[in-house]
Amino acid sequence: MHSSSSNLLQALLTNPDFVAWANGGRPEDDVKWNNWAADDLEKLETIAIARELLESFQVANTNISNEHITNKVSQALNTAKRIESEQNLRRISPLRNLNFTVWNVAATLVTLLGLGLAIFGIYKNKHSETGLNSNVAKVEDADAFTKVINKDRAVKYVRLSDGSAIVLHKNSSISFPKQFTGPVREVFLTGDAFFEITKNPDQPFFVYANELVAKVHGTSFSIKAGQSESKVIVAVKTGKVSVFSKNDSKAEQYKKDKGLQAFLLTPNQQATFERSQFKLSRLALSSPILLNIPIENQDFTYSETPVKDIFSALEKAYGIHIQYNVETMSECSVTATLGDEPLENKLKWICTILEAEYAINDDQITIKGSPCK
């Protein structure tokens, strides 16, 4: 191809608007770029090559600055031009039979550059704090983080330091800090889970699931994010959830600005993220059932309900065991609407009504109370 095509490729790769669109962060710009290319074969080919090259950068997954990547891309393209010029001067080259063009060389160099950035990213992630562009559920600091894996149970209860509750599906894992000390709360999911997040507008909560990020202040929702799945799905039960791609050009803004919302979901709405295309779509639901686990369709509303029935429902919903004196509390009942509050908040309300006490030890809860009259 001509040098004009090479210049066009370089212009696209260093254009923030194009990069954001090509990475799936701006589906609203589809018309803009399709009209720009129109029936121009050179532009269409250049866009295709640029998108393919940008995919090679995704494996890097680091906090490398845009300026650094831009410089490296420019170096690769300039090297490709130089090689082509030298070949044209020599006219005869051992590589001639391979029909190398500036595009072959550029693609090779940039692909190798992507691998180099990936290696650099792995090294950098091991020596830096987990951030917006970190690998999901890959936490190197074992002292600061906890990782819980549910290998064989239908669901497993996970309690976070802020009281938030996670119901972890079978063959799934969740990584999280032992204490939330910074301006945000962040957890890293691999697989499927249901979340009940403690409300705290001053400390937004982020779930990283493959290439998708969910931002919440306090709500309940499900996420389906298997590593081998082509999609990441979020279904909201109560409250609001804002979702975006971690490659979105505004990703850092969404993280820093507590009030800034991305792709907003409300109760009984579902977002589907196409991982290969970096595209989000919204769907209205009749019910927010995504993982087919009991907690998704329970509203935890009770009217003079015997505690044995309440405790049984909580056991099924959270995958826990509740130990209590059945004979002593056989006459106890509860009238309350517990809603989407995390499990520990539900226990506080129940025990306040019953004038009882509770203790949590991993996934077993012990409740001690007096007889009800």
Side-chain angles (χ1 to χ4, degrees), residues 126-156:
K126 287 183 178 180
H127 296 81
S128 63
E129 295 182 357
T130 301
L132 185 64
N133 295 320
S134 301
N135 283 332
V136 173
K138 182 177 179 62
V139 181
E140 301 292 343
D141 190 348
D143 293 331
F145 280 77
T146 296
K147 183 173 184 178
V148 177
I149 303 174
N150 182 11
K151 294 182 179 180
D152 49 15
R153 298 171 56 177
V155 293
K156 180 177 178 61

Side-chain angles (χ1 to χ4, degrees), residues 90-107:
R90 294 190 184 111
R91 299 297 181 184
I92 300 175
S93 168
L95 299 177
R96 187 173 183 178
N97 292 332
L98 295 179
N99 294 319
F100 265 31
T101 68
V102 64
W103 295 103
N104 298 125
V105 178

Side-chain angles (χ1 to χ4, degrees), residues 10 54 86 88 232 298 332:
Q10 184 169 355
L54 284 170
E86 290 176 354
N88 289 335
V232 179
Q298 292 188 30
C332 297

